[in-house]
Amino acid sequence: MLAIIGGSGLTQLSNLDISRREVIRTPYGEPSGAVTFGRIGCQDVVFLARHGHGHTIPPHLVNYRANIWALARGAGAEGIVSVASVGGIRSDLGPGVLVAPDQIIDYTWGRHTTYHEGPDVPVVHIDFTEPYDGALRRRLLDAAALAGETIVDGAVYATTQGPRLETAAEINRLEQDGAHIVGMTGMPEACLARELEVPYAAICVVANWGAGRGDSAHAISFAAIEEVLQQSLGKARRVIEHLCGA
Ligand code: HPA
C-alpha cells in the first residue's frame, strides 16, 4: 500500500480507481478528512487531501500527527509520497519545475513534531540526517524518467509557518541559509513519518518565484499560481502513475 498526500491543487487523484472512502480514527485526533482507497495500475493506493477536501485547513492547523498515523498505522501504508506546491528560490527552480527535495530546514513553530510527548511518555530522538527516504526518492526519480517528465534531483526545502507568504527579505535570508525551495507543510510531516519508520519522499511543484524574485519581484500573483498548478500537477500525476506501474 502506497500513500499519497495531496497538497494545494491536488485534492483528488483523477487517475485513482476508487474502491472506498474511510474515516480513520487516530489517537491524535482527526485527520484532514476521509482517506480514499483504490488502485493505480497494479499498486494499492490510499490518498489523503492534506488541506481537506474543500481546502479549508491552513498549513499551521493541519493535524500532521493524525494524518501520518492514519496512513501509516490506520491504512497500513508502506510508503508515503507527498505532493506539495512550493515557491522557487534557486535560479533554476522557477514556476512549473518539479523537484524531489533531499534536505529540509524547518522554520515552523508550535506544531506537534513528535508522537512521543505527554505525561510518562519516554522521550524519543530519531536520526534525521537524511530527512527523505533514499529508496523512495530513487523510485520517484526513476518513475519521472519513465514518464518522460523532468524532475530536479535534490533541493533544500525550507518549511515556513504560513499561511502568509514570505517577505522578500525572508526569501533572501532563506537563500543565505542554503534553502532552494520554500513551502509550508514539509515539516513536521517528514519527521513524523520517520518516527513511525515509514519511508517518506516528496514531489514538489514550483508554483511561483519566491517573494521578491522573478515575476514575484513586486508581488506574488495568485492567478499565475493557479495557472501554473493546473498545468504542472498533471506532470506530478503522471510521475505517480509510473511510480505505481500504470
Ligand atoms: N512560499 C511558501 N509556500 C509556498 C509558496 C511560497 O512562495 N508557493 C507555494 N507554496
Coordinates of all heavy atoms in Angstrom, one line a residue, residues 32-109:
S32 N -7.1 15.1 8.2 CA -7.6 16.2 7.4 C -9.0 15.9 6.8 O -9.7 16.8 6.3 CB -6.7 16.7 6.3 OG -5.5 17.2 6.9
G33 N -9.3 14.6 6.7 CA -10.5 14.2 6.1 C -10.5 12.7 5.9 O -9.6 12.0 6.3
A34 N -11.5 12.2 5.2 CA -11.6 10.7 4.9 C -10.5 10.4 3.9 O -10.1 11.3 3.1 CB -12.9 10.4 4.3
V35 N -10.0 9.2 4.0 CA -9.0 8.8 3.0 C -9.7 8.0 2.0 O -10.8 7.4 2.2 CB -7.8 7.9 3.7 CG1 -7.1 8.7 4.7 CG2 -8.4 6.6 4.2
T36 N -9.1 8.0 0.8 CA -9.7 7.3 -0.4 C -8.8 6.1 -0.7 O -7.6 6.3 -0.9 CB -9.8 8.2 -1.6 OG1 -10.4 9.4 -1.2 CG2 -10.5 7.5 -2.7
F37 N -9.3 4.9 -0.7 CA -8.6 3.7 -1.1 C -8.9 3.4 -2.6 O -10.0 3.6 -3.0 CB -9.0 2.5 -0.3 CG -8.5 2.5 1.2 CD1 -9.3 3.1 2.1 CD2 -7.3 2.0 1.5 CE1 -8.9 3.1 3.5 CE2 -6.8 2.1 2.8 CZ -7.6 2.6 3.8
G38 N -7.9 2.9 -3.3 CA -8.1 2.5 -4.6 C -6.8 1.9 -5.2 O -5.9 1.5 -4.5
R39 N -6.8 1.8 -6.5 CA -5.6 1.3 -7.2 C -5.2 2.2 -8.3 O -6.1 2.9 -9.0 CB -5.9 -0.1 -7.9 CG -5.9 -1.2 -6.9 CD -6.3 -2.5 -7.6 NE -5.2 -3.2 -8.2 CZ -4.3 -3.9 -7.6 NH1 -4.4 -4.0 -6.2 NH2 -3.3 -4.5 -8.2
I40 N -3.9 2.3 -8.6 CA -3.4 3.0 -9.8 C -2.5 1.9 -10.4 O -1.6 1.5 -9.7 CB -2.6 4.2 -9.5 CG1 -3.5 5.3 -8.7 CG2 -2.0 4.8 -10.7 CD1 -2.7 6.6 -8.3
G41 N -2.8 1.5 -11.6 CA -2.1 0.4 -12.2 C -2.2 -0.8 -11.3 O -3.3 -1.2 -10.9
C42 N -1.0 -1.4 -10.9 CA -1.1 -2.6 -10.1 C -0.8 -2.3 -8.6 O -0.5 -3.1 -7.8 CB -0.1 -3.6 -10.6 SG 1.5 -2.9 -11.0
Q43 N -0.8 -1.0 -8.3 CA -0.5 -0.6 -6.9 C -1.7 -0.2 -6.1 O -2.5 0.6 -6.5 CB 0.5 0.6 -7.0 CG 0.9 1.3 -5.7 CD 1.9 0.5 -4.9 OE1 2.9 0.2 -5.4 NE2 1.5 0.1 -3.7
D44 N -1.8 -0.8 -4.9 CA -2.9 -0.3 -3.9 C -2.4 1.1 -3.4 O -1.3 1.2 -3.0 CB -3.0 -1.3 -2.8 CG -3.7 -2.5 -3.2 OD1 -4.7 -2.4 -4.0 OD2 -3.3 -3.6 -2.7
V45 N -3.4 2.0 -3.4 CA -3.1 3.4 -3.1 C -4.1 3.9 -2.1 O -5.3 3.5 -2.1 CB -3.1 4.3 -4.3 CG1 -3.0 5.8 -3.9 CG2 -1.9 3.9 -5.2
V46 N -3.6 4.7 -1.1 CA -4.5 5.4 -0.2 C -4.2 6.9 -0.3 O -3.0 7.3 -0.3 CB -4.4 4.9 1.2 CG1 -3.0 4.9 1.8 CG2 -5.4 5.7 2.1
F47 N -5.2 7.7 -0.6 CA -5.0 9.1 -0.8 C -5.6 10.0 0.3 O -6.7 9.7 0.7 CB -5.6 9.5 -2.2 CG -5.5 11.0 -2.5 CD1 -4.3 11.5 -3.0 CD2 -6.6 11.8 -2.2 CE1 -4.2 12.8 -3.3 CE2 -6.4 13.2 -2.4 CZ -5.3 13.7 -3.0
L48 N -4.9 11.0 0.7 CA -5.4 12.0 1.7 C -5.2 13.4 1.2 O -4.0 13.7 0.8 CB -4.7 11.7 3.0 CG -5.1 12.7 4.1 CD1 -6.6 12.6 4.5 CD2 -4.2 12.5 5.4
A49 N -6.2 14.2 1.2 CA -6.0 15.6 0.8 C -5.6 16.4 2.1 O -6.3 16.5 3.1 CB -7.3 16.2 0.3
R50 N -4.3 16.9 2.0 CA -3.7 17.5 3.2 C -4.5 18.6 3.8 O -4.6 18.8 5.1 CB -2.3 18.0 2.8 CG -1.6 18.7 4.0 CD -0.3 19.2 3.5 NE 0.7 18.2 3.2 CZ 1.3 18.0 2.0 NH1 0.9 18.7 0.9 NH2 2.2 17.1 1.8
H51 N -5.1 19.4 3.0 CA -5.8 20.6 3.5 C -7.3 20.4 3.5 O -8.1 21.3 3.7 CB -5.5 21.8 2.6 CG -4.1 22.2 2.6 ND1 -3.4 22.8 3.6 CD2 -3.1 21.9 1.6 CE1 -2.1 22.9 3.3 NE2 -1.9 22.4 2.1
G52 N -7.8 19.1 3.5 CA -9.2 18.8 3.5 C -9.8 18.9 2.1 O -9.2 19.5 1.2
H53 N -10.9 18.2 1.9 CA -11.5 18.1 0.5 C -11.8 19.5 0.0 O -11.7 19.8 -1.2 CB -12.7 17.2 0.5 CG -12.3 15.7 0.6 ND1 -11.6 15.1 -0.4 CD2 -12.3 14.9 1.7 CE1 -11.3 13.9 0.0 NE2 -11.7 13.7 1.3
G54 N -12.3 20.4 0.9 CA -12.7 21.7 0.4 C -11.5 22.7 0.5 O -11.7 23.9 0.4
H55 N -10.3 22.2 0.8 CA -9.1 23.1 1.0 C -9.4 24.1 2.1 O -9.3 25.4 1.9 CB -8.7 23.8 -0.3 CG -7.2 24.2 -0.2 ND1 -6.8 25.4 0.3 CD2 -6.1 23.5 -0.6 CE1 -5.5 25.4 0.2 NE2 -5.0 24.3 -0.3
T56 N -9.8 23.7 3.3 CA -10.2 24.6 4.4 C -9.2 24.6 5.5 O -9.4 25.4 6.5 CB -11.6 24.2 4.9 OG1 -11.5 22.8 5.2 CG2 -12.7 24.5 3.9
I57 N -8.2 23.7 5.5 CA -7.3 23.6 6.7 C -5.9 24.3 6.3 O -5.2 23.8 5.5 CB -7.1 22.2 7.1 CG1 -8.4 21.4 7.2 CG2 -6.3 22.1 8.4 CD1 -8.3 19.9 7.4
P58 N -5.6 25.4 6.9 CA -4.3 26.1 6.6 C -3.1 25.3 7.1 O -3.3 24.4 8.0 CB -4.4 27.4 7.3 CG -5.4 27.2 8.4 CD -6.4 26.1 8.0
P59 N -2.0 25.5 6.6 CA -0.8 24.6 6.9 C -0.5 24.5 8.4 O -0.1 23.4 8.8 CB 0.4 25.4 6.2 CG -0.3 26.1 5.1 CD -1.6 26.5 5.6
H60 N -0.7 25.6 9.1 CA -0.3 25.5 10.6 C -1.3 24.8 11.4 O -1.1 24.5 12.6 CB 0.0 26.9 11.1 CG -1.2 27.8 11.1 ND1 -1.9 28.2 10.0 CD2 -1.9 28.4 12.1 CE1 -2.9 29.0 10.3 NE2 -3.0 29.1 11.6
L61 N -2.5 24.5 10.8 CA -3.6 23.9 11.5 C -3.8 22.4 11.1 O -4.7 21.7 11.6 CB -4.9 24.7 11.5 CG -4.9 26.0 12.1 CD1 -6.2 26.7 12.0 CD2 -4.4 25.9 13.6
V62 N -3.0 22.0 10.1 CA -3.1 20.6 9.6 C -2.7 19.7 10.8 O -1.8 20.0 11.5 CB -2.2 20.3 8.4 CG1 -2.1 18.8 8.1 CG2 -2.7 21.1 7.2
N63 N -3.5 18.6 11.1 CA -3.2 17.7 12.1 C -2.2 16.7 11.5 O -2.6 15.6 11.1 CB -4.4 17.0 12.7 CG -4.1 16.2 13.9 OD1 -3.0 15.8 14.2 ND2 -5.1 15.9 14.7
Y64 N -0.9 17.0 11.5 CA 0.1 16.2 10.8 C 0.2 14.8 11.5 O 0.4 13.8 10.9 CB 1.4 16.9 10.8 CG 1.4 18.2 9.9 CD1 1.2 19.4 10.5 CD2 1.6 18.1 8.5 CE1 1.2 20.6 9.7 CE2 1.6 19.2 7.8 CZ 1.4 20.5 8.4 OH 1.3 21.6 7.6
R65 N 0.1 14.8 12.8 CA 0.2 13.6 13.5 C -0.9 12.6 13.2 O -0.7 11.4 12.9 CB 0.3 13.8 15.1 CG 1.6 14.4 15.5 CD 1.8 14.2 17.0 NE 0.7 14.8 17.8 CZ 0.8 14.9 19.1 NH1 1.9 14.5 19.8 NH2 -0.2 15.5 19.8
A66 N -2.1 13.2 13.1 CA -3.2 12.3 12.8 C -3.1 11.8 11.3 O -3.4 10.6 11.0 CB -4.6 13.0 13.0
N67 N -2.7 12.7 10.4 CA -2.6 12.3 9.0 C -1.6 11.2 8.8 O -1.9 10.2 8.2 CB -2.2 13.5 8.2 CG -3.3 14.5 8.0 OD1 -4.5 14.3 8.4 ND2 -3.0 15.6 7.3
I68 N -0.4 11.4 9.4 CA 0.6 10.4 9.2 C 0.3 9.1 9.9 O 0.4 8.0 9.3 CB 2.0 10.9 9.6 CG1 2.4 12.1 8.8 CG2 3.1 9.8 9.6 CD1 2.7 11.9 7.3
W69 N -0.3 9.2 11.1 CA -0.7 7.9 11.8 C -1.8 7.2 11.0 O -1.8 6.0 10.8 CB -1.2 8.3 13.2 CG -1.3 7.1 14.1 CD1 -0.3 6.7 15.0 CD2 -2.4 6.2 14.2 NE1 -0.8 5.6 15.6 CE2 -2.0 5.2 15.2 CE3 -3.6 6.1 13.6 CZ2 -2.9 4.2 15.5 CZ3 -4.4 5.0 13.9 CH2 -4.1 4.1 14.9
A70 N -2.8 8.0 10.5 CA -3.9 7.4 9.7 C -3.4 6.6 8.5 O -3.8 5.5 8.2 CB -4.9 8.4 9.3
L71 N -2.4 7.2 7.8 CA -1.9 6.5 6.6 C -1.0 5.3 7.0 O -1.1 4.2 6.4 CB -1.1 7.5 5.8 CG -2.0 8.7 5.2 CD1 -1.1 9.7 4.5 CD2 -3.0 8.1 4.2
A72 N -0.1 5.5 7.9 CA 0.9 4.5 8.3 C 0.3 3.4 9.1 O 0.5 2.2 8.8 CB 2.1 5.1 9.0
R73 N -0.4 3.7 10.1 CA -0.9 2.7 11.0 C -2.3 2.3 10.7 O -2.7 1.2 10.7 CB -0.9 3.2 12.5 CG 0.5 3.4 13.0 CD 1.2 2.0 13.3 NE 2.5 2.2 13.9 CZ 3.7 2.4 13.3 NH1 3.7 2.3 12.0 NH2 4.8 2.5 14.0
G74 N -3.2 3.3 10.4 CA -4.6 3.0 10.1 C -4.7 2.3 8.8 O -5.4 1.3 8.7
A75 N -4.1 2.8 7.7 CA -4.3 2.2 6.4 C -3.2 1.2 6.1 O -3.3 0.5 5.1 CB -4.3 3.4 5.4
G76 N -2.1 1.2 6.9 CA -1.0 0.3 6.7 C -0.1 0.6 5.5 O 0.4 -0.3 4.9
A77 N 0.0 1.9 5.2 CA 0.9 2.3 4.1 C 2.3 2.0 4.4 O 2.8 2.2 5.5 CB 0.7 3.8 3.8
E78 N 3.0 1.5 3.3 CA 4.5 1.1 3.5 C 5.4 2.2 2.9 O 6.6 2.1 3.0 CB 4.7 -0.2 2.8 CG 4.1 -1.4 3.5 CD 3.6 -2.4 2.5 OE1 3.4 -2.1 1.3 OE2 3.3 -3.5 3.0
G79 N 4.7 3.3 2.4 CA 5.5 4.4 1.9 C 4.5 5.6 1.8 O 3.3 5.4 1.6
I80 N 5.0 6.8 2.0 CA 4.2 8.0 1.8 C 4.9 8.9 0.9 O 6.0 9.3 1.0 CB 4.0 8.7 3.2 CG1 3.3 7.7 4.2 CG2 3.2 10.0 3.0 CD1 3.1 8.3 5.6
V81 N 4.1 9.3 -0.2 CA 4.6 10.3 -1.1 C 3.8 11.6 -1.0 O 2.6 11.5 -1.1 CB 4.5 9.8 -2.6 CG1 4.9 10.9 -3.6 CG2 5.5 8.6 -2.8
S82 N 4.5 12.7 -0.7 CA 3.8 14.0 -0.5 C 3.9 14.7 -1.9 O 5.0 14.7 -2.5 CB 4.5 14.8 0.6 OG 4.4 16.2 0.3
V83 N 2.8 15.3 -2.3 CA 2.8 16.2 -3.4 C 2.5 17.6 -2.9 O 1.5 17.8 -2.2 CB 1.8 15.8 -4.5 CG1 1.8 16.7 -5.7 CG2 1.9 14.3 -4.9
A84 N 3.4 18.5 -3.1 CA 3.3 19.8 -2.4 C 3.7 20.9 -3.4 O 4.7 20.7 -4.2 CB 4.2 19.8 -1.2
S85 N 3.0 22.0 -3.3 CA 3.5 23.2 -4.1 C 4.4 24.0 -3.3 O 4.3 24.0 -2.1 CB 2.3 24.0 -4.6 OG 1.7 24.6 -3.5
V86 N 5.4 24.6 -4.0 CA 6.4 25.4 -3.3 C 6.7 26.7 -4.1 O 6.3 26.8 -5.2 CB 7.7 24.6 -3.1 CG1 7.5 23.4 -2.2 CG2 8.3 24.1 -4.5
G87 N 7.4 27.6 -3.4 CA 8.0 28.7 -4.1 C 9.4 28.4 -4.5 O 10.1 27.6 -3.8
G88 N 9.9 28.9 -5.6 CA 11.3 28.7 -6.1 C 12.2 29.8 -5.6 O 11.9 31.0 -5.6
I89 N 13.4 29.4 -5.1 CA 14.4 30.3 -4.7 C 15.6 30.2 -5.6 O 16.1 31.2 -6.1 CB 14.8 30.1 -3.2 CG1 13.6 30.2 -2.3 CG2 15.9 31.0 -2.8 CD1 13.8 29.9 -0.8
R90 N 16.1 29.0 -5.8 CA 17.3 28.8 -6.6 C 17.0 29.2 -8.1 O 15.8 28.9 -8.5 CB 17.8 27.3 -6.5 CG 19.3 27.2 -6.9 CD 19.7 25.8 -6.5 NE 19.2 24.8 -7.4 CZ 19.2 23.5 -7.2 NH1 19.7 23.0 -6.1 NH2 18.7 22.6 -8.1
S91 N 17.9 29.7 -8.8 CA 17.6 30.3 -10.1 C 17.1 29.3 -11.1 O 16.4 29.7 -12.1 CB 18.8 31.1 -10.6 OG 19.9 30.1 -10.8
D92 N 17.4 28.0 -11.0 CA 16.9 27.0 -11.9 C 15.6 26.4 -11.5 O 15.1 25.6 -12.2 CB 17.9 25.9 -12.2 CG 18.2 25.2 -10.9 OD1 18.2 25.8 -9.8 OD2 18.5 23.9 -10.9
L93 N 15.0 26.9 -10.4 CA 13.8 26.3 -9.9 C 12.6 27.3 -10.0 O 12.1 27.8 -9.0 CB 14.0 25.8 -8.4 CG 15.1 24.8 -8.3 CD1 15.3 24.4 -6.8 CD2 14.9 23.6 -9.1
G94 N 12.2 27.6 -11.2 CA 11.2 28.5 -11.5 C 9.8 27.8 -11.6 O 9.7 26.6 -11.5
P95 N 8.8 28.6 -11.8 CA 7.4 28.1 -11.9 C 7.3 26.9 -12.9 O 7.8 27.0 -14.0 CB 6.6 29.3 -12.3 CG 7.3 30.4 -11.8 CD 8.8 30.1 -11.9
G96 N 6.6 25.8 -12.5 CA 6.4 24.7 -13.4 C 7.4 23.6 -13.2 O 7.2 22.5 -13.7
V97 N 8.5 23.8 -12.5 CA 9.5 22.8 -12.4 C 9.1 21.8 -11.3 O 8.5 22.2 -10.3 CB 10.9 23.5 -12.0 CG1 11.9 22.5 -11.6 CG2 11.4 24.3 -13.1
L98 N 9.4 20.5 -11.5 CA 9.2 19.5 -10.5 C 10.5 19.3 -9.8 O 11.6 19.2 -10.4 CB 8.7 18.2 -11.1 CG 7.4 18.1 -11.8 CD1 7.1 16.6 -12.1 CD2 6.3 18.7 -11.0
V99 N 10.5 19.1 -8.5 CA 11.7 18.9 -7.6 C 11.4 17.7 -6.7 O 10.3 17.7 -6.0 CB 12.0 20.1 -6.8 CG1 13.4 20.0 -6.2 CG2 11.9 21.4 -7.6
A100 N 12.4 16.9 -6.5 CA 12.4 15.9 -5.4 C 13.4 16.3 -4.4 O 14.6 16.1 -4.6 CB 12.7 14.5 -5.9
P101 N 13.0 17.0 -3.3 CA 14.0 17.6 -2.4 C 14.7 16.5 -1.6 O 14.2 15.4 -1.5 CB 13.1 18.4 -1.4 CG 11.7 17.9 -1.6 CD 11.6 17.4 -2.9
D102 N 15.9 16.8 -1.2 CA 16.7 15.8 -0.4 C 17.0 16.3 1.0 O 17.6 15.6 1.8 CB 17.9 15.3 -1.2 CG 18.9 16.4 -1.4 OD1 18.6 17.6 -1.2 OD2 20.0 16.1 -1.8
Q103 N 16.7 17.6 1.3 CA 17.0 18.1 2.6 C 15.9 19.1 3.0 O 15.2 19.6 2.2 CB 18.4 18.8 2.6 CG 19.6 17.9 2.7 CD 19.6 17.2 4.1 OE1 19.1 17.7 5.1 NE2 20.1 16.0 4.1
I104 N 15.9 19.4 4.3 CA 14.9 20.2 4.9 C 15.5 21.2 5.9 O 16.4 20.8 6.6 CB 13.8 19.4 5.6 CG1 13.0 18.5 4.7 CG2 12.9 20.2 6.5 CD1 12.0 17.6 5.4
I105 N 15.0 22.4 5.9 CA 15.3 23.3 7.0 C 13.9 23.7 7.6 O 13.0 24.1 6.8 CB 16.1 24.6 6.7 CG1 17.4 24.2 6.0 CG2 16.3 25.4 7.9 CD1 18.3 25.4 5.5
D106 N 13.8 23.6 8.9 CA 12.4 23.8 9.5 C 12.4 25.1 10.2 O 13.1 25.3 11.2 CB 12.2 22.6 10.5 CG 10.8 22.6 11.1 OD1 10.0 23.4 10.6 OD2 10.6 21.9 12.0
Y107 N 11.5 26.0 9.7 CA 11.3 27.3 10.4 C 9.9 27.4 11.1 O 9.5 28.4 11.5 CB 11.4 28.4 9.4 CG 12.7 28.5 8.7 CD1 13.0 27.8 7.5 CD2 13.7 29.3 9.2 CE1 14.2 27.9 6.8 CE2 15.0 29.4 8.6 CZ 15.2 28.7 7.4 OH 16.4 28.8 6.8
T108 N 9.2 26.2 11.1 CA 7.9 26.3 11.7 C 8.0 26.3 13.2 O 9.0 26.0 13.8 CB 7.0 25.0 11.3 OG1 7.6 23.9 11.8 CG2 7.0 24.9 9.8
W109 N 6.9 26.7 13.8 CA 6.8 26.7 15.3 C 5.4 26.3 15.8 O 4.4 26.4 15.0 CB 7.2 28.1 15.8 CG 6.5 29.2 15.2 CD1 6.9 29.9 14.0 CD2 5.2 29.8 15.5 NE1 6.0 30.8 13.7 CE2 5.0 30.8 14.6 CE3 4.3 29.5 16.5 CZ2 3.8 31.6 14.6 CZ3 3.2 30.3 16.6 CH2 2.9 31.3 15.6

